Each structure stands twice: as structure tokens, then as C-alpha cells.
Coordinates of all heavy atoms in Angstrom, one line a residue:
Q23 N -9.5 -51.4 44.7 CA -10.6 -51.4 45.7 C -11.1 -52.8 46.0 O -11.4 -53.1 47.1 CB -11.8 -50.6 45.1 CG -11.5 -49.1 45.2 CD -12.6 -48.3 44.3 OE1 -13.5 -48.9 43.8 NE2 -12.3 -47.1 44.0
T24 N -11.1 -53.7 45.0 CA -11.5 -55.1 45.2 C -10.5 -55.8 46.0 O -10.8 -56.5 47.1 CB -11.6 -55.8 43.8 OG1 -12.5 -55.1 43.0 CG2 -12.1 -57.3 44.0
A25 N -9.2 -55.6 45.8 CA -8.1 -56.2 46.5 C -8.1 -55.8 48.0 O -8.0 -56.6 48.9 CB -6.7 -55.8 45.9
R26 N -8.5 -54.5 48.2 CA -8.6 -54.0 49.6 C -9.7 -54.6 50.3 O -9.6 -54.9 51.5 CB -8.7 -52.4 49.4 CG -8.5 -51.6 50.6 CD -8.4 -50.1 50.4 NE -7.2 -49.7 49.7 CZ -6.0 -49.6 50.3 NH1 -5.9 -49.9 51.6 NH2 -5.0 -49.2 49.6
S27 N -10.9 -54.7 49.7 CA -12.0 -55.2 50.4 C -11.8 -56.8 50.7 O -12.2 -57.2 51.7 CB -13.4 -55.1 49.6 OG -13.4 -55.8 48.4
L28 N -11.1 -57.4 49.8 CA -10.8 -58.8 50.1 C -9.8 -59.0 51.3 O -9.8 -59.9 52.0 CB -10.1 -59.5 48.7 CG -11.1 -59.8 47.6 CD1 -10.4 -60.1 46.3 CD2 -12.1 -60.9 48.0
A29 N -8.9 -58.0 51.4 CA -7.9 -58.0 52.5 C -8.7 -57.8 53.8 O -8.5 -58.5 54.7 CB -7.0 -56.9 52.3
R30 N -9.7 -56.9 53.8 CA -10.5 -56.8 55.0 C -11.3 -58.1 55.3 O -11.4 -58.5 56.5 CB -11.6 -55.6 54.7 CG -11.0 -54.3 55.1 CD -12.2 -53.2 55.2 NE -12.9 -53.1 53.9 CZ -12.5 -52.3 53.0 NH1 -11.4 -51.4 53.1 NH2 -13.3 -52.1 51.9
E31 N -11.8 -58.7 54.3 CA -12.5 -60.0 54.5 C -11.6 -61.1 55.2 O -12.1 -61.8 56.0 CB -13.0 -60.6 53.2 CG -14.3 -60.0 52.7 CD -14.7 -60.4 51.3 OE1 -14.5 -61.6 51.1 OE2 -15.4 -59.6 50.6
V32 N -10.4 -61.1 54.9 CA -9.5 -62.2 55.4 C -8.7 -61.6 56.7 O -7.8 -62.3 57.2 CB -8.5 -62.8 54.4 CG1 -9.3 -63.5 53.4 CG2 -7.6 -61.7 53.8
G33 N -9.1 -60.4 57.1 CA -8.5 -59.7 58.3 C -7.1 -59.3 58.1 O -6.3 -59.2 59.1
L34 N -6.8 -58.8 56.9 CA -5.4 -58.2 56.7 C -5.5 -56.7 56.6 O -6.5 -56.1 56.1 CB -4.8 -58.7 55.3 CG -4.3 -60.1 55.2 CD1 -3.9 -60.4 53.9 CD2 -3.1 -60.3 56.2
S35 N -4.4 -56.0 57.1 CA -4.4 -54.6 56.8 C -3.4 -54.5 55.6 O -2.5 -55.3 55.6 CB -3.9 -53.8 58.1 OG -2.6 -54.3 58.4
C36 N -3.6 -53.5 54.8 CA -2.6 -53.4 53.7 C -2.2 -51.9 53.6 O -2.7 -51.1 54.3 CB -3.3 -53.8 52.3 SG -5.0 -53.5 52.2
V37 N -1.3 -51.6 52.6 CA -0.8 -50.2 52.5 C -2.0 -49.4 52.2 O -2.9 -49.7 51.4 CB 0.2 -50.0 51.4 CG1 1.5 -50.8 51.9 CG2 -0.2 -50.5 50.0
T38 N -2.0 -48.1 52.7 CA -3.0 -47.2 52.4 C -2.8 -46.6 51.0 O -1.7 -46.8 50.4 CB -3.0 -45.9 53.3 OG1 -1.7 -45.2 53.1 CG2 -3.1 -46.4 54.8
P39 N -3.8 -45.9 50.3 CA -3.5 -45.4 49.0 C -2.4 -44.4 49.0 O -1.5 -44.5 48.0 CB -4.8 -44.6 48.7 CG -5.9 -45.4 49.5 CD -5.2 -45.8 50.8
G40 N -2.1 -43.6 50.0 CA -1.0 -42.7 50.1 C 0.3 -43.5 50.0 O 1.3 -43.1 49.4
A41 N 0.4 -44.5 50.8 CA 1.6 -45.4 50.9 C 1.8 -46.1 49.6 O 3.0 -46.2 49.1 CB 1.6 -46.3 52.1
G42 N 0.7 -46.6 49.0 CA 0.8 -47.2 47.7 C 1.4 -46.3 46.7 O 2.2 -46.7 45.8
S43 N 0.9 -45.1 46.7 CA 1.4 -44.1 45.6 C 3.0 -43.9 45.8 O 3.7 -43.7 44.8 CB 0.6 -42.8 45.6 OG 0.8 -42.2 46.9
V44 N 3.4 -43.9 47.1 CA 4.9 -43.8 47.3 C 5.6 -45.0 46.7 O 6.7 -44.8 46.1 CB 5.2 -43.6 48.9 CG1 6.7 -43.7 49.1 CG2 4.6 -42.3 49.3
L45 N 5.1 -46.2 46.8 CA 5.7 -47.4 46.3 C 5.8 -47.2 44.8 O 6.8 -47.5 44.1 CB 4.8 -48.6 46.6 CG 4.8 -49.1 48.1 CD1 3.9 -50.3 48.2 CD2 6.3 -49.5 48.5
S46 N 4.7 -46.8 44.1 CA 4.6 -46.6 42.6 C 5.8 -45.6 42.3 O 6.5 -45.8 41.2 CB 3.3 -46.2 42.1 OG 2.6 -47.2 41.7
L47 N 5.7 -44.5 43.0 CA 6.7 -43.4 42.7 C 8.2 -43.9 42.8 O 9.0 -43.6 41.9 CB 6.5 -42.3 43.7 CG 7.5 -41.1 43.6 CD1 7.0 -40.1 42.6 CD2 7.7 -40.5 44.9
L48 N 8.5 -44.6 43.9 CA 9.9 -45.0 44.0 C 10.3 -46.1 43.1 O 11.4 -46.1 42.5 CB 10.1 -45.6 45.5 CG 10.0 -44.6 46.6 CD1 9.9 -45.3 48.0 CD2 11.1 -43.6 46.5
A49 N 9.3 -47.0 42.7 CA 9.6 -48.0 41.6 C 9.9 -47.4 40.3 O 10.8 -47.7 39.6 CB 8.5 -49.1 41.6
A50 N 9.0 -46.3 40.0 CA 9.2 -45.6 38.8 C 10.4 -44.8 38.7 O 11.2 -44.7 37.7 CB 7.9 -44.7 38.5
A51 N 10.8 -44.1 39.8 CA 11.9 -43.2 39.8 C 13.2 -44.0 39.6 O 14.2 -43.6 39.0 CB 12.0 -42.5 41.2
G52 N 13.2 -45.2 40.1 CA 14.4 -46.1 39.9 C 14.3 -47.0 38.8 O 15.2 -47.9 38.7
S53 N 13.4 -46.8 37.9 CA 13.1 -47.7 36.7 C 13.3 -49.2 37.1 O 14.0 -49.9 36.5 CB 14.1 -47.4 35.6 OG 13.9 -46.2 35.0
A54 N 12.5 -49.5 38.2 CA 12.7 -50.8 38.9 C 12.4 -52.0 37.9 O 11.3 -52.0 37.3 CB 11.9 -50.9 40.1
K55 N 13.3 -52.9 37.8 CA 13.0 -54.1 37.0 C 12.8 -55.3 37.9 O 12.1 -56.3 37.5 CB 14.2 -54.3 36.0 CG 13.9 -55.4 35.0 CD 15.1 -55.6 34.0 CE 14.7 -56.7 33.1 NZ 15.8 -57.0 32.1
S56 N 13.6 -55.4 39.0 CA 13.6 -56.5 39.8 C 13.2 -56.1 41.2 O 14.0 -55.3 41.8 CB 14.9 -57.2 39.9 OG 15.2 -57.8 38.6

């Protein structure tokens, strides 16, 4: 939530929570190391 509000302050859009959870899921599913 802090990172998201800081992004708004500097005029950045970032991934939504839904898209973020997809990132976590894909990283976990592939046991991503790099």
C-alpha cells in the first residue's frame, strides 16, 4: 500500500493487485530463481 501511494505521488501507474498476484503465482509456479 505504501509503495502504491508513493507511485501515485511521483505520477506512476503500477500493476493492480490482481495483476500482482498473477506475477507471484507465475514466479512461484516456476520456482523462479532469476
Side-chain angles (χ1 to χ4, degrees):
Q23 289 165 10
T24 303
R26 197 172 284 288
S27 68
L28 288 166
R30 275 195 297 271
E31 279 175 32
V32 295
L34 281 180
S35 62
C36 37
V37 296
T38 65
S43 65
V44 169
L45 291 178
S46 264
L47 174 91
L48 291 171
S53 292
K55 187 178 179 185
S56 298

